[in-house]
Each structure stands twice: as structure tokens, then as C-alpha cells.
Amino acid sequence: MEIYLIRHTETICEKGICYGQSDVNIAEPFDSLFENILSQLPPEALIFSSPLKRCVILAKHIQENIRAISFLQDDRLKEMNFGDWELKPWNDIPPEQLNPWMEDFVNIQVSNGESFVELHERVGDFLTEQKTKKINSPVIIVTHAGIIRSFLCHQSGLPLKDAFQNKVDFGEVIKIDF
């Protein structure tokens, strides 16, 4: 299965703000960024998107500019749920909460949120479902850095604790064969 993983473009959030599943908007202007992304995509594909607007805006633009076989939003493609930390500056998160998570983000669940292993299980569930469909067309997935890192761990067998070795820039397109 040929998959194009696309991270949304930059958001309106200031640097240093934790915004996992918060539904924040993307920064404008984004037209030239979208055109650059389109230039890297196949002319026809199935499109999946996180339902968060920072992804949907880009996914709909792609849908309007290629032959979209289908377009589906899927909650499993949302960024990590940072629970009580959502929309807080990272520097304002109490060290007694942040430090243990930083030491083991894979297994430690954020208060009222999730751990990276839980995110990874969501991605695995999504992948398993797609594999059973025996998809022959290219697949475009517009999503978030955490989800893309999880996909890359699934594909390469990279341990989750090393997921951040995979740098994923805003607006980046990563093609994988899965």
C-alpha cells in the first residue's frame, strides 16, 4: 500500500504551547504551502484526515485538486490527547507532572489524556482496518506529527521510545510503502 503521510501546516498557536487534540486553526497565508504539498502527491488517491480543522482544511484542498476516490475523517488520526496540558505553555506544566512523562512518554499517560502507546494502538487499529480492505490505490493521510511518527514506527519496527528520531516538519509529505 502506497501511503502519503502529510503533516498539517503551521498553526496559529505560539511556539511552546501544548495543543495536541485542541482544535486550533492553521496560520495564513497557506496557499503556496498547499501548492507545494499538491506537487508531491499522486493524481488520484483515497484521502483520510484527522477531524481537527488544521488537517481538514488541507485535506479538503487536496480533495478539490486531485481525483479523490473517497474522503474520510477518522478520530484515530487525531494528535495525542494531552488532557489537562492542552493549550498550556509547556513551561507552565508542573515539573512533578512533566518530568516523569518526559522520561517515559511512551507509557505514562497525561492526566485526563493518553500515553504514546495508546496513540500507537489507535494507529495500529487504523492500519489493520485498511489492510483488510486490500486497497490498490494510493492513500493520502493528512494528520499530525505524533501520528506520523507512530506510522513510521509501525512501518520500520523502530521502538516507540525512539519515535522522535523521525523529524516531521509542518507541511511535510512522507511517502511510505506499507
Side-chain angles (χ1 to χ4, degrees):
M1 181 175 6
E2 186 177 272
I3 300 176
Y4 294 80
L5 299 167
I6 306 170
R7 183 179 181 193
H8 60 82
T9 55
E10 202 157 350
T11 70
I12 59 169
C13 285
E14 294 177 26
K15 298 229 184 290
I17 301 294
C18 178
Y19 62 89
Q21 288 192 5
S22 296
D23 204 8
V24 298
N25 216 336
I26 55 175
E28 293 188 42
F30 48 75
D31 295 339
S32 64
L33 299 170
F34 282 15
E35 292 311 308
N36 180 50
I37 291 166
L38 277 173
S39 73
Q40 300 173 62
L41 301 177
E44 174 181 285
L46 287 90
I47 303 171
F48 293 93
S49 177
S50 159
L52 299 177
K53 65 182 155 191
R54 61 188 183 264
C55 294
V56 172
I57 292 168
L58 173 56
K60 285 185 176 179
H61 182 81
I62 293 168
Q63 178 189 23
E64 293 166 0
N65 286 280
I66 71 165
R67 186 172 173 274
I69 298 166
S70 65
F71 175 86
L72 297 170
Q73 295 178 39
D74 194 308
D75 281 342
R76 295 171 292 183
L77 299 175
K78 283 183 179 178
E79 183 58 282
M80 186 168 175
N81 182 348
F82 284 105
D84 294 345
W85 300 354
E86 290 282 338
L87 296 177
K88 288 185 180 175
W90 284 100
N91 291 337
D92 289 355
I93 299 168
E96 62 273 10
Q97 293 175 24
L98 184 61
N99 292 343
W101 181 81
M102 293 292 276
E103 290 173 17
D104 187 11
F105 70 92
V106 172
N107 297 300
I108 293 180
Q109 183 180 27
V110 175
S111 178
N112 295 310
E114 66 183 337
S115 67
F116 193 68
V117 78
E118 290 170 308
L119 176 149
H120 193 64
E121 289 168 359
R122 285 194 276 127
V123 171
D125 183 54
F126 174 85
L127 278 169
T128 299
E129 181 181 307
Q130 301 321 310
K131 282 186 199 174
T132 62
K133 295 178 182 176
K134 298 184 183 351
I135 298 169
N136 293 322
S137 300
V139 174
I140 294 171
I141 301 173
V142 183
T143 190
H144 312 271
I147 298 293
I148 293 172
R149 287 183 177 109
S150 176
F151 266 100
L152 296 173
C153 287
H154 275 287
Q155 189 232 7
S156 68
L158 185 70
L160 295 182
K161 67 179 180 57
D162 298 326
F164 281 83
Q165 289 179 9
N166 295 312
K167 188 169 174 1
V168 184
D169 292 326
F170 288 110
E172 185 170 0
V173 178
I174 299 171
K175 181 184 172 193
I176 62 172
D177 290 311
F178 201 87

